Each structure stands twice: as structure tokens, then as C-alpha cells.
Amino acid sequence: MYRSKDAARCRVLVSGRVQGVFFRMFAMREAQKLGLGGFVRNLRDGRVEAVAEGDRSNLEAFIARLRVGPAGAQVREVAVEWEPFEHEFDGFDITYD
């Protein structure tokens, strides 16, 4: 990933039926297709959190895909926080806490 003038970072919280439906794998694959860095993880409250960095247009495409999710998911809400680009990640992974 490179730093461009359009580089950004977002934190996305997805709620609904998003655990136990391969949502994290879906998010990781979509992020990798878009060349994003970051991570995705399940939260104890039943939501999924994704933190991603890259070009803003690719981040917006990623968020649009998270709003739909994989087959079996029922996305109820997607909250997005935009943050400054930090170039913290070299790839996109699933993390386990």
C-alpha cells in the first residue's frame, strides 16, 4: 500500500447477524481485493469491527460491501468513523482477542 493524497483510515462497526456467518473472512477477502491494510475481528457484544487504511475510494467500496455482507448475514447497522491515515498495516488480517 502507498500513501497518496486520498489515503484515509476508517473504523467500521457492523451490527446484526454478523457472527457465525463467515463475516470476518468475507471482510478480509474484500479488503485484500481492494488493496487495503487493517484487520477485522468479532466483538464480545456481537458486532464485528473492521479497521482499514487505503485510498478513500477503496475504503468507501469496502464499506459498501460490508453493508451487504456475505450470504447468511443480516446487516442491521454500519457505523463508520473516519480517521487520519497512519500506514500502520502491511496487509489485512483477521484478529482474535
Side-chain angles (χ1 to χ4, degrees), residues 14-24 26 48 65-76:
V14 185
S15 61
R17 184 176 169 207
V18 294
Q19 291 190 12
V21 293
F22 299 99
F23 200 96
R24 290 175 298 167
F26 170 82
V48 169
R65 293 173 188 174
L66 295 182
R67 290 186 190 283
V68 176
Q74 294 176 345
V75 177
R76 186 176 68 239

Side-chain angles (χ1 to χ4, degrees), residues 43-64:
L43 298 177
R44 291 184 180 160
D45 64 6
R47 295 180 297 171
V48 169
E49 175 187 40
V51 175
E53 292 186 330
D55 285 340
R56 182 146 183 145
S57 61
N58 289 349
L59 291 169
E60 290 171 352
F62 177 63
I63 294 165

Side-chain angles (χ1 to χ4, degrees), residues 1 6 24 26 28-29 31 41 43 45 53-54 64 84 88 92 95:
M1 190 168 61
D6 295 325
R24 290 175 298 167
F26 170 82
M28 182 180 73
R29 288 181 180 156
R41 66 181 173 178
L43 298 177
D45 64 6
E53 292 186 330
E88 181 179 349
F92 197 96
T95 62

